[in-house]
Amino acid sequence: MTETKVSAVEEIMDIIHGGLKCRTSGTTGANAESSRSHAILTYSIKHGGKLYSKMSFIDLAGSERGADVIDTGKKTKQDGAEINKSLLALKECIRALDQAGKGNRLPFRGSKLTQVLKDSFIGKCKTTMIANVSPALSCCEPTLNTLRYADRV
């Protein structure tokens, strides 16, 4: 992760394009071009070192089923396992927030993803989740899982 001071829209666009070039994607049994990593872009408005506002855009890689990566190499399977691990850690944080009472510990240390997203879920903030789903009958199970995940948020 890097933090870069910008003062023009063109600089922001250059950073976005650079980030997209660094993003990992690959072929799986389910998709010809599948995200193999999460992507996070955060805008912070600061003045005199004081933070006034912060907005994060997070594109989570989709969860991987073993059946979807069966015809791929070891690296793709490892990537899928890491993606699933971080999504499960995020799900556990969301579940803990849903059931939180006084003194309950929230498991944000479960992954780097949850550590980065911690301030998107606690404190004075507003969080919106957009779930990308498919109307295709062949995608019924993953769509239901995604909708359940989003409903938790």
Side-chain angles (χ1 to χ4, degrees):
M1 289 184 8
T2 60
E3 183 173 322
T4 306
K5 186 176 182 176
V6 296
S7 56
V9 173
E10 293 79 19
E11 293 175 271
I12 295 170
M13 295 308 296
D14 288 343
I15 290 169
I16 290 171
H17 291 298
L20 289 172
K21 286 179 186 174
C22 293
R23 188 144 190 214
T24 305
S25 64
T27 301
T28 67
N31 294 308
E33 192 166 326
S34 176
S35 298
R36 310 306 301 151
S37 62
H38 306 304
I40 301 171
L41 175 65
T42 300
Y43 295 100
S44 299
I45 299 174
K46 297 177 181 178
H47 184 68
K50 183 178 178 186
L51 178 67
Y52 285 90
S53 182
K54 182 177 172 180
M55 180 182 291
S56 297
F57 296 91
I58 300 122
D59 181 9
L60 299 174
S63 63
E64 297 285 335
R65 296 181 319 148
D68 293 338
V69 294
I70 200 159
D71 296 331
T72 56
K74 185 177 180 181
K75 175 74 171 124
T76 302
K77 289 180 182 178
Q78 286 176 324
D79 289 345
E82 289 298 318
I83 290 166
N84 287 346
K85 183 179 171 185
S86 64
L87 291 173
L88 179 61
L90 180 58
K91 184 178 180 180
E92 290 303 317
C93 288
I94 293 166
R95 181 178 297 152
L97 284 165
D98 192 32
Q99 300 170 348
K102 282 194 171 185
N104 284 4
R105 189 182 73 79
L106 300 173
F108 286 106
R109 292 184 184 175
S111 76
K112 290 195 184 283
L113 175 66
T114 53
Q115 291 171 19
V116 170
L117 298 181
K118 180 178 178 178
D119 61 350
S120 296
F121 289 103
I122 61 174
K124 191 176 178 182
C125 67
K126 294 182 181 184
T127 301
T128 300
M129 180 176 189
I130 299 170
N132 187 10
V133 297
S134 172
L137 185 58
S138 61
C139 297
C140 185
E141 185 181 341
T143 292
L144 283 172
N145 288 337
T146 299
L147 291 172
R148 287 184 187 114
Y149 197 98
D151 183 57
R152 209 32 127 152
V153 174

